[in-house]
Amino acid sequence: MSQINLNFSSFEEIKQYFREQAKKLHPDKGGNRKEFLILLNWYQEVLENFKEKHKIEVVNKCPLIGNYLFSVLELTVEEIALGGKKKIKVFGEEIICPSCNGTGKRKDGLTKTCGFCKGSGSIEIRDERRNIPTYLNCPYCKGQGFLFTENCDNCKGKGKLRIQKEVYIDIPLGLKEGDIIFIPKERIDSPYDLYLEISVVPHPYFSLENNNLIYKCKIPFWEIILKEEITIYTLEGKESIPSKLFTNGSPIVIKGRGPFLKDGKRGDLLIDFQIYIPEKIPFEAKKLILEAVKIVKSQED
Ligand SMILES: [Zn+2]
Ligand SMILES: [Zn+2]
């Protein structure tokens, strides 16, 4: 199997070939398990090679000329930090417009008389030798004698349409706002290469900075004093960390809990916190706090 060196131009072709071969190896058709496993291995290898050959890459800028499309790709902070798959819309093959059957004209639109046959629908051809006229359907209006003049809304008069389809791409790790990723057309089975500029969707408390994840929060002063643990958010969800950590100043650095990076490492999670103190503290409360401070001081001495 692995000796077969086929040149595939798209993922779809590889899948198609695999499906056909897999069918042949079905036990009903006399295939066996061992051969099927060999095919499966081969398939995975070819897919990997194909991915390697047609890499999704981060580039500095788009080329000035070329047969490509440019668009903006919105990603959440989590998508950038964790990577994974992203569904995107791309252009696929060209089809004949179903609304106008490829004529490019509206079927119920305005018409004008065909100038070629002067509205008769047929043209006269004279046989020089016998000198008798023969009539043919006018090739211009296909014998109708009139032509539609309004463009088809669906294809804007082109007669053809590019169908849009949804494909999944692997999000490259280590992205940041404004990065441009290049997606080869082979990767998405499209006639065009794709350049996508990354735009990060604002998050209520997460942001990305220098390969680290920043978690912004406000912690009430009494929580730091009274609670053993304080709840924070990480990429893995809610988590409790010792409240003591909040007494050493901001930010708190949690090593290796930030975004996944290209080199297989992870950035850090930085807890950028502010201590929350209410603007107005009632006199009664102040009195009690003062009492508390007196007790604390007497213990320290
Ligand atoms: Zn005509
Ligand atoms: Zn059309």
Side-chain angles (χ1 to χ4, degrees), residues 103-167:
T103 62
K105 301 292 176 195
R106 267 180 72 166
K107 278 187 224 161
D108 55 353
L110 296 174
T111 59
K112 65 166 189 190
T113 306
C114 173
F116 197 68
C117 61
K118 311 258 180 321
S120 69
S122 57
I123 48 165
E124 192 187 297
I125 290 177
R126 217 160 252 286
D127 188 316
E128 291 298 333
R129 279 179 301 155
R130 286 179 288 170
N131 202 28
I132 41 166
T134 45
Y135 295 93
L136 287 177
N137 261 0
C138 169
Y140 209 66
C141 61
K142 308 230 160 29
Q144 292 187 100
F146 62 89
L147 296 162
F148 291 104
T149 57
E150 288 177 84
N151 275 351
C152 165
D153 292 331
N154 201 19
C155 62
K156 306 279 177 288
K158 287 195 207 87
K160 289 175 190 164
L161 287 174
R162 282 237 172 259
I163 51 162
Q164 269 207 329
K165 56 177 183 175
E166 287 176 326
V167 294

Side-chain angles (χ1 to χ4, degrees), residues 78 87 116-117 124 141 149 183 206-207 295 298-299:
E78 286 96 333
K87 192 156 74 175
F116 197 68
C117 61
E124 192 187 297
C141 61
T149 57
I183 305 169
F206 281 149
S207 59
I295 297 166
S298 71
Q299 293 282 312

Side-chain angles (χ1 to χ4, degrees), residues 51-64:
K51 277 189 185 178
E52 194 53 37
K53 199 172 158 194
H54 305 288
K55 257 190 196 159
I56 295 180
E57 283 175 306
V58 180
V59 293
N60 292 326
K61 54 187 174 189
C62 296
L64 287 173

Side-chain angles (χ1 to χ4, degrees), residues 239-294:
E239 221 164 284
S240 295
I241 58 167
S243 46
K244 268 203 183 108
L245 293 172
F246 290 83
T247 60
N248 296 328
S250 186
I252 299 166
V253 180
I254 303 184
K255 288 255 170 232
R257 292 294 301 278
F260 287 84
L261 305 173
K262 261 181 284 187
D263 53 9
K265 290 185 189 130
R266 282 185 77 170
D268 300 330
L269 170 63
L270 308 184
I271 305 171
D272 176 9
F273 70 92
Q274 266 188 310
I275 294 173
Y276 171 69
I277 298 165
E279 248 176 67
K280 281 180 186 154
I281 298 176
F283 180 69
E284 277 303 300
K286 277 189 184 168
K287 247 167 63 181
L288 291 171
I289 293 168
L290 190 65
E291 282 305 308
V293 170
K294 272 182 194 163

Side-chain angles (χ1 to χ4, degrees), residues 12 69 109 114 131 172 193 197 199 203 231 234 246 279 286:
E12 205 40 59
L69 293 174
C114 173
N131 202 28
D193 289 332
E197 189 180 318
S199 164
H203 191 282
T231 305
T234 72
F246 290 83
E279 248 176 67
K286 277 189 184 168

